[in-house]
Every structure is written in structure tokens, then in C-alpha cells.
Amino acid sequence: MEGFTLTYDHFDPEAEQLREAITSTGNGYFCTRGTAEWEDFGEIHYPGTYTHGGYNRETTIFDGHPVLNEDLVNLPNWLPLKLRIEGEPAVRFGNVEVLDYRHSYDVRLALVERYLRFRDEAGRVTSLRSRRFVSMAHSHQAAIEWTLTPENWSGRVEVVTALDGRMTNQIVARYRELEGRHLDPVSPRTFGPEVIALKVKTRQSDIYIAQAARTRAFHGDRPAETERRLHQMQDYIQQVLTFDVEEGRPSRVEKLVSVFTSHDNAITEPLAAAGRHVLRYPGFAGALDEHDSAWTELWDSCDVRLPREPRAQLLLRLHISHVLQVCSRHTARHDAGVPARGLNGEAYRGHVFWDEMYVYPFLNLRLPEITRSLLLYRHRRLTEARAAAAEAGHRGAMFPWQSGSDGTEETQRVHLNPLSGQWDPDLSHRQRHVNAAIFYNVWRYFQATDDLEFLRDYGAELMLEIARFWASIAHLNSETGRYEIHGVMGPDEFHERYPDSEEPGLRNNAYTNVMAAWIAHTAPKVLDLLPSSRAAMIRRHLQVTDEELETWRDMSRRMCVPFHDGVISQFEGYADLEELDWAGYRDRYRNVQRMDRILRAEGRDPNRYKMSKQADAVMLFFLFDEEELGELFGRLGYDYDRELARRTIEYYDERTTHGSTLSFVTYAGVLAGVDPESSWERYLVALESDVNDVQGGTTKEGIHMGVMSGTLDLLQRSYVGTSITGDVLRVAPRLVDRLDGVTFCMRFRGTTLRLAIEGDKLILSAQAEGFRGPLHVGVGDDVRELTPGATCVFAIPGGVPGAASGR
């Protein structure tokens, strides 16, 4: 389909690991990097397969000190297929003359394809076409197809098919001093003459992983006469298929694979399940048809058409594909959170952060059942969050900055600076704002879905315990009459403490305090939404008193927000920091995104300077619209107007390095209403950030889920301008000339809507099937009721009359 293909037309060893991450194939249960099947692990290639919840914890000894790290484990490699011609060494990029090469990625099907035409040392010319996918139709299934054509020779070939359990975690250079061996062998096995299987176990978490592979060879549709030889070890098993090929006649090899773990439901044990399932799988063509049908259904709900911006449209679709490969309906059946770097690599050790705040808005309005299941990841870890709060001397629930298997804090206490080679202290676990993100996520999910059942059974308990935590960590300053929060870090991450201070954390981070004030105002509303009997039960269960509710209301009116020079201060004391010589550092280093590492390598303290890694105070203008912020600041007794937003955004824009790709998303969002053209420039950087690896080497370690999903949310929320006020879905398009022709579907409170912009008109249609109403939609003051099967056409203020008619 047009607009769905990403193509690399030559082999580039230096870019291969980036391409492997970008062309990974997954289905929301497991995901595999786009490594060529015939290549082994090394400096150029990194095969990796990961599954939700597949964590293991190991200990590394540094200078006599134990350092604990929990990693998302690189599982056994199911890819290996190697070609040997007439008994010679297996074909690799390095030992043949590459005559033609193409590496393409079908975004619509998350299908990776390679075409390799080569000449070997004997002068034989051969073409090899490889296609591979991880099935969206069947969560445990994957498939590879090779089409092999001898162009000037006939003879005998051997195809080696293997399952390799000797994998370690090594792709992130910063972690290579940490223990990366997470798998212990259990046993290989065969299931009849065509199926090999392998079972391994994680060393600490005792998760069993099993894979089975059925490999067959064909001449056309006829099975080839094949000899098979088996070799196996405890952690590796292979089969060699030997058969004849003829000049000019294509032969095919199909490898169907099943993957199971001991976390799966409805199995006795994973090895038997893997072997049994792979025997039942259809051939490659049948499996691909089923996979295609499953993706077609997803694209019907999730596609975005942006015809005036074809490059942006392709990248948006790439991002949709990757989001769905990590978060699909298969995910909803498992205990899964959203790893910040997806299931495509090992950066951040596969942990779950606040990035989910950027992921859920797209899913909320298309596949809310997936958001629901991902939010349950947090609820299941509520007991651990309560324990963490109590241990720190607080009440309520304190969720960790980095979460993995069980919800304990997984943030390392030391972090390697690759510029200096030193291990520096890491205080980022003090980013308590992750708790605000969880509260925000539950509330926005409820607004989009009106899922009162989720709020009643899970969401309210989560939100009330988080509100209680903020009330516990805040204290009332008797001199100012304001509530304050000390000892935390904001999203910025460059500032961990005050200069020359041994005390960790900062006072009154504006983002944290405003979020706490909003939570304190919103939490009592949650109780009002519940049936009275359920609200009373939850209050009894959590022992929420009238006095506690009054404290929350008081916090919502008297939380401290620091200001200086007419802008919101990132934190108390920010105005006293030193200005940085930005021009000088850009001249010397060019890329200053990780200014903290540069300064530390020079022996200087980043805490001294007015700089930010990413949006911090500016996040407020991204998460809340102007009306919401006006009410929030007004309730706190502070003046708020559009000029405060503009001044604050401009002030921090000059001092932000955008060391996180999330920052490009955030600034693009907040600038949409202030400086639309600058917003679009940032948007294009965000769209290109992974595919072109703008951070210079991080994407190969795993795609950035936050920026990929954030670009999708930006289109629907900041540019098309969707928001929810009460029971009204509002739309306020910006940059209409670029959006002309945009079309996508949304599911608002159970009803599927189709939105389109044509010139100066906004067209909203409601699907009659499954309609749950009444629904109200509006542009500006024009609010209408949408009925089943009906269409509403609105005039867009400042639209482009007749623009659509010219297409």
C-alpha cells in the first residue's frame, strides 16, 4: 500500500543496528529486532528478542560494592538460517561480493524483507529474498520465508536452521560492565523430524522460555527431497537441511516458530506448548494471510492520513506500527507495562517510566482496552508502592521512577558517564512526579472512555492513594501560608540538588507542585463519580477521613508555585543559578544535548547552571489547556494569562538542550498555539528522531516509545486540537493548511467517530453500529449532539477555503 514502505537501498555496517531497531517485528507479546537471519552477533549485528515481563535481576561487584540491576532479558535467538553452497562456509555479508541489496520494511504489516544478490568466491551468482514477521493474528507465532534462486549454477545447498540460547544483554555500551548473562540452559528437544525446540530459564526470576521451529524446503509448491542432520547442546540446537537446487529455478525455505514462557496462561509448561503449537501452524503464506487480516483491522482503527505531508504521514504510520507492536490486544492478556524503549532493545534495561503519559492518549481514543490493561500493571503494584511510601516515612502510594517486574525501585544509584568513563551518583529516583503521571493517566483514560467500572474497581483506589502520598510529602510553611514539597527532582534531570549542597533534591519544583495541586483538587471528584455505596466502602477501606479530604482541598488552593522575572521558576532558587556560555559550548562540542555529561567530564557541576535536559515547567502547558491552567492557577491565587505561557516557554526554550526526544514533542505541543511554524519545525524533528537517530546512537538500543506515540498525540491534540471538556469532545484545528485532507478515526466513550478536515471544514461522523450516546461535539461555541450514523460539518475559524477541492 502506498505510504507504508521504508527502504534502505544499500548495506551500511555502521547503520545496521539502528536499522535493526527500526525494522523490528512484534505483536504486543514479543518483539524481535530486524537482524538478518544469516548474520551472528557481533560489532555490526545484534539479534534480540524480548517479551513483556521477561525480567531478570543480577548483581555486579564494583570496587567491592554490589550493584543490583534488573534487565529485560534478551531471549534465545530464533532467527538463525544460514546458507552453505556446495559445502563452503556459510554466506555472510563479509565473505561474498554484494551485487544488489535492498532492506525494506512494510510498515503496514511490520514485515521486514531483504533482497540480497551476491557472487561467491567460486563465481556463482545467487539471489536470496527473505521475508519475516511476528504474527499479529497469533501471539506466539513468527515466520520466515527464504526464496533462493541460483542464477548461473546448479548444485547442492545446505540450510542451517537453529535456536540459540547463548544470548546475553550487551547492546548498550554503558551497561557492558554490568552482569549481562541472564539465561541458564535447560534442554533441547525435537518434535518429530521437522521440529527442533529449546528451553532455557532466567537465572534469578525463574522464568522458563521455550521456542520451537519447524523448517521445510520447497521447489515451487512441491516439498523438496531433503536430508536432515541434527546437532544439539544444552543451550543450542540446529538442524541442517540439504537439498539440490537448479539454475534459474527458485526454491523456498519456510521457518515457522512458536515462543512461549512460563508466564503464559492455559499451558502445562512452555516447551510442550511450543512444540504442539508449531506443529499446527499453517505454511508461510497461510500464516501471512492471517497476520495481514489482523493488521488490517488495527489499521482501520488507527491509521492517520495526512496527504499534504507525505514524509510526515509515512513516519506517523511507522510510529503507529511500533506502538502497536509493543501495545496490542495481545498485550492486554498479560501483566505488562510500557517499557520506555519498547521491546526493541535494552536501553533503560526495559524499565517502565513516566513515558506512558505520552503513550496512552493515542490508545485511549482508539484501543482503550489496551490502556486499561496497562494501567492495571500499576494497580497490581500498589502494595509495593504503599510499602515504599511507608519506608520513606510517607502515607499513600509512592511508585518508583523505574519499574520492572514487581514494582520496586529499579533506578540505579550510579550511572556511567561515557564521556569521562566515570560512574557518577544517580539521584533520579527522586523524580516523584511519576506518581502524578499515573494519576493523570487514569483520569484522562476515564475522560475518554467513561469507564466507570474501571474507576470503581481499580482507578479510584490508585488515585486516592497517590493523592494521599502528595498530601503526605507536602508541608505547610507557616510563614508563607503555602504548601511546599522539598527533596524532589523535576523532569529536567540535570538538576539533582543545589550547588555545594550534600542534601539531595530540590525545593518546590513548579511542575511537581502544580501537578500535586491539580491532583488534590481532582481526587475528591473521583469519589463523587462513584456510586455512593462504593465511595463509602473505599473511604472505609482506605480510611479517608473528612479532615483528609479538607487537607486536599486546602492544598489545591495554597500550593506554592515559584516565579522569577515574570516566568514560572523551574524550582525555588533557579533564578540564582549561573548562566551558561551556550555559544561557546556549541562551538566546541556541536551537540550539547547531554550537557550534564560534558560539564561533569570537565569537572564542573551541572547543578550550578540555568539549563534543562528537557521540558520541565513547560510540561504544564503541554498537559493542560489554557482554560484548565487558568482555573488551576486562579484557584491557587496566582495570575495566569497567555503571556505568562509565552514568556515561560520562550525563557526555557533558550536554556533547554533537548537531551530527551520527549522534549521535542513537548515543545512542539506548547508552541502550537504560540508559534505554529516553530512548532511544526520541532514536530518534524520529533518525527525523524528515531528513524534518523538524532541523538547519535541511542535508537539502536531500542526505539523511543514516548516520542513515537507523542507525535501521534500531537497531531490529534495539538494540531487537530481534540480535547474533552465534561461530556463534550471539542476540536480546535491549527496549521490547517498542512492538515488539509487529514483523516483518522477515534473511539470516544464507546462510539467510533471519523474526523476529516477538508479546506475550511471539519467533518465528524458517528458510526451507527455500537453507538453509545448521547455524544456532544463542538468547535468553539458551536456544540452539537451527534446521533447514530449522523455527520456534523463545522466551519473552521481561520481555515483555508476551497483548499481541499484542489487535490
Side-chain angles (χ1 to χ4, degrees), residues 476-553:
L476 183 63
N477 185 325
S478 58
E479 294 183 5
T480 63
R482 292 278 183 181
Y483 286 89
E484 300 187 354
I485 298 175
H486 294 182
V488 300
M489 285 175 59
D492 161 32
E493 293 189 338
F494 280 178
H495 295 91
E496 301 176 324
R497 53 162 63 98
Y498 288 98
D500 302 320
S501 173
E502 293 299 318
E503 182 180 351
L506 305 162
R507 297 184 299 273
N508 296 320
N509 171 257
Y511 172 74
T512 301
N513 284 20
V514 173
M515 290 295 285
W518 172 75
I519 287 168
H521 176 71
T522 306
K525 292 183 182 179
V526 176
L527 287 170
D528 294 340
L529 287 165
L530 300 177
S532 57
S533 59
R534 180 63 179 171
M537 192 283 290
I538 287 179
R539 287 191 61 178
R540 286 194 303 271
H541 173 62
L542 299 181
Q543 299 179 13
V544 177
T545 64
D546 291 342
E547 291 77 14
E548 189 170 14
L549 289 174
E550 186 52 42
T551 297
W552 297 354
R553 294 187 182 98

Side-chain angles (χ1 to χ4, degrees), residues 678-721:
S678 178
S679 169
W680 189 259
E681 290 173 8
R682 315 297 178 95
Y683 187 53
L684 294 180
V685 174
L687 281 170
E688 299 278 358
S689 60
D690 265 16
V691 74
N692 285 328
D693 196 15
V694 298
Q695 290 188 323
T698 63
T699 303
K700 69 179 183 181
E701 302 167 351
I703 56 100
H704 297 76
M705 279 291 288
V707 72
M708 285 194 168
S709 48
T711 57
L712 304 171
D713 179 37
L714 264 175
L715 182 71
Q716 73 179 11
R717 188 161 60 91
S718 299
Y719 296 147
V720 174

Side-chain angles (χ1 to χ4, degrees), residues 382-458:
L382 184 56
T383 298
E384 199 62 50
R386 287 178 173 132
E391 186 176 338
H394 306 307
R395 301 182 68 214
M398 185 176 77
F399 286 88
W401 175 237
Q402 295 188 30
S403 181
S405 58
D406 61 2
T408 54
E409 181 61 78
E410 299 296 346
T411 306
Q412 287 191 315
R413 300 308 168 104
V414 291
H415 184 81
L416 178 66
N417 182 342
L419 297 182
S420 67
Q422 299 297 312
W423 288 86
D424 298 322
D426 188 341
L427 300 178
S428 59
H429 64 277
R430 290 188 167 268
Q431 293 188 71
R432 306 300 183 205
H433 61 87
V434 65
N435 297 275
I438 295 168
F439 187 105
Y440 180 91
N441 293 337
V442 176
W443 183 247
R444 292 305 196 206
Y445 166 77
F446 175 72
Q447 285 185 306
T449 62
D450 200 28
D451 187 350
L452 190 60
E453 180 183 279
F454 178 82
L455 199 66
R456 181 193 68 202
D457 294 344
Y458 308 105

